[in-house]
Amino acid sequence: MKNTEDLVIAIDGHSSGGKSTFAKALAKKMGLTYVDSGAMYRAVALYALENELIVDEKVKRQDLIERLDAITIEIRFNSEKNRHETWLNGRNIEDEIRGVEVSKWASTVSAIPEVRITMVDLQRKISKNKGVVMDGRDIGTVVFPSADIKIFLTAQAEVRAERRYKEMVENGLQASYHEVLDNIMLRDHQDSTREASPLKRAKDSIDLDNSAMSMDEQMKWFEELLEKRREE
Ligand code: DC
């Protein structure tokens, strides 16, 4: 097994399963860079919403594909807030991309193969020659098929909706619990049934159902996994 600082850890799973909280905590603990791949699809969705590329509840697919070159996405570290933030064409959009509307369209634009190719390219570029913890849907299957550790993380849909709802309320975002649950179930369906890189377990991934687990328990679970891997 590689040195800790060179490890590539892929975390895939359903929406709002706590992937990013887990991945961030893990990255911090291991001293690795955290990359939120979903934020990139969210940034594309926001761009489409702001540039009349979504009209009558439909994405203007061809126009969006032609505009991909005009979309610059960066992940910058904000030392004041001690977090990584997503920037779209030079603008900090980290808070804007977390609402229900952007979530919904992120799922739609992420099903477009050309969008995926561009984002996967960016994800690999960002992680070049360094250890990372990256979360998403296709990290262990497409982005880093030879990741050192692959985790498929999930929780029951109702538990995920409850967590997401609480998080939105805390962040002052408007939504009802049922709206959030419907959104999660819709995204589960879209993410798992789309033709381009659907969400699926990598053959060599390890399942983690965190429905009834605290973050400490999840970290402990990971420590044991890492220890086992080092012994192998
Ligand atoms: O992880 P998230 O909820 O922020 O992701 C937003 C959307 O992007 C989600 O509907 C699925 C999609 N996505 C994807 O297709 N592939 C990834 N690697 C990450 C996210």
Side-chain angles (χ1 to χ4, degrees):
M1 177 88 103
K2 289 179 191 161
N3 290 332
T4 303
E5 64 268 27
D6 298 323
L7 287 178
V8 173
I9 303 176
I11 301 175
D12 291 302
H14 295 105
S15 299
S16 302
K19 288 190 301 291
S20 70
T21 315
F22 176 71
K24 273 182 208 160
L26 203 58
K28 198 167 174 199
K29 184 182 165 71
M30 311 275 295
L32 298 168
T33 302
Y34 165 63
V35 183
D36 173 0
S37 71
M40 300 178 189
Y41 294 97
R42 289 171 180 269
V44 174
L46 181 66
Y47 181 88
L49 283 164
E50 288 182 335
N51 288 277
E52 284 152 37
L53 296 170
I54 296 174
V55 176
D56 295 334
E57 291 289 299
K58 268 201 163 148
V59 176
K60 294 169 90 177
R61 196 186 159 102
Q62 201 48 43
D63 291 352
L64 175 61
I65 292 169
E66 281 163 23
R67 298 280 278 280
L68 282 172
D69 278 351
I71 303 178
T72 304
I73 299 167
E74 295 159 278
I75 309 292
R76 299 190 197 167
F77 187 72
N78 180 336
S79 49
E80 242 168 64
K81 292 196 175 165
N82 194 27
R83 64 174 190 178
H84 284 92
E85 296 179 332
T86 315
W87 288 64
L88 169 65
N89 292 340
R91 184 176 117 229
N92 184 345
I93 53 157
E94 185 58 32
D95 295 324
E96 270 173 81
I97 54 173
R98 304 294 163 187
V100 170
E101 185 73 0
V102 172
S103 300
K104 180 176 108 181
W105 291 110
S107 176
T108 310
V109 300
S110 72
I112 302 173
E114 287 83 352
V115 171
R116 301 204 68 82
I117 290 167
T118 310
M119 294 306 115
V120 169
D121 210 36
L122 179 61
Q123 287 148 19
R124 289 184 181 146
K125 235 182 245 161
I126 285 179
S127 321
K128 206 163 181 178
N129 300 326
K130 61 179 172 201
V132 288
V133 180
M134 188 179 294
D135 70 342
R137 306 294 186 288
D138 60 341
I139 312 305
T141 50
V142 177
V143 184
F144 297 125
S146 52
D148 301 291
I149 299 180
K150 299 181 188 179
I151 297 170
F152 193 88
L153 190 149
T154 194
Q156 289 151 17
E158 291 74 13
V159 176
R160 289 185 277 136
E162 184 68 37
R163 288 182 190 152
R164 181 87 187 106
Y165 173 68
K166 271 196 194 146
E167 192 182 282
M168 291 177 80
V169 171
E170 277 163 21
N171 291 324
L173 294 166
Q174 295 257 313
S176 73
Y177 167 77
H178 286 288
E179 206 182 335
V180 174
L181 180 61
D182 284 352
N183 183 268
I184 280 179
M185 302 219 301
L186 173 75
R187 288 205 286 152
D188 281 0
H189 180 73
Q190 283 182 348
D191 294 347
S192 316
T193 55
R194 70 181 178 218
E195 241 171 69
S197 312
L199 166 66
K200 62 169 192 254
R201 282 175 175 74
K203 278 196 203 88
D204 48 351
S205 74
I206 303 136
D207 285 344
L208 172 61
D209 182 330
N210 69 6
S211 297
M213 281 170 95
S214 67
M215 190 46 66
D216 282 351
E217 287 168 333
Q218 292 175 61
M219 287 296 115
K220 193 151 178 282
W221 175 90
F222 182 81
E223 265 167 42
E224 287 167 7
L225 171 70
L226 191 61
E227 218 166 281
K228 229 189 281 161
R229 284 293 176 87
R230 291 214 187 280
E231 283 166 9
E232 278 165 18

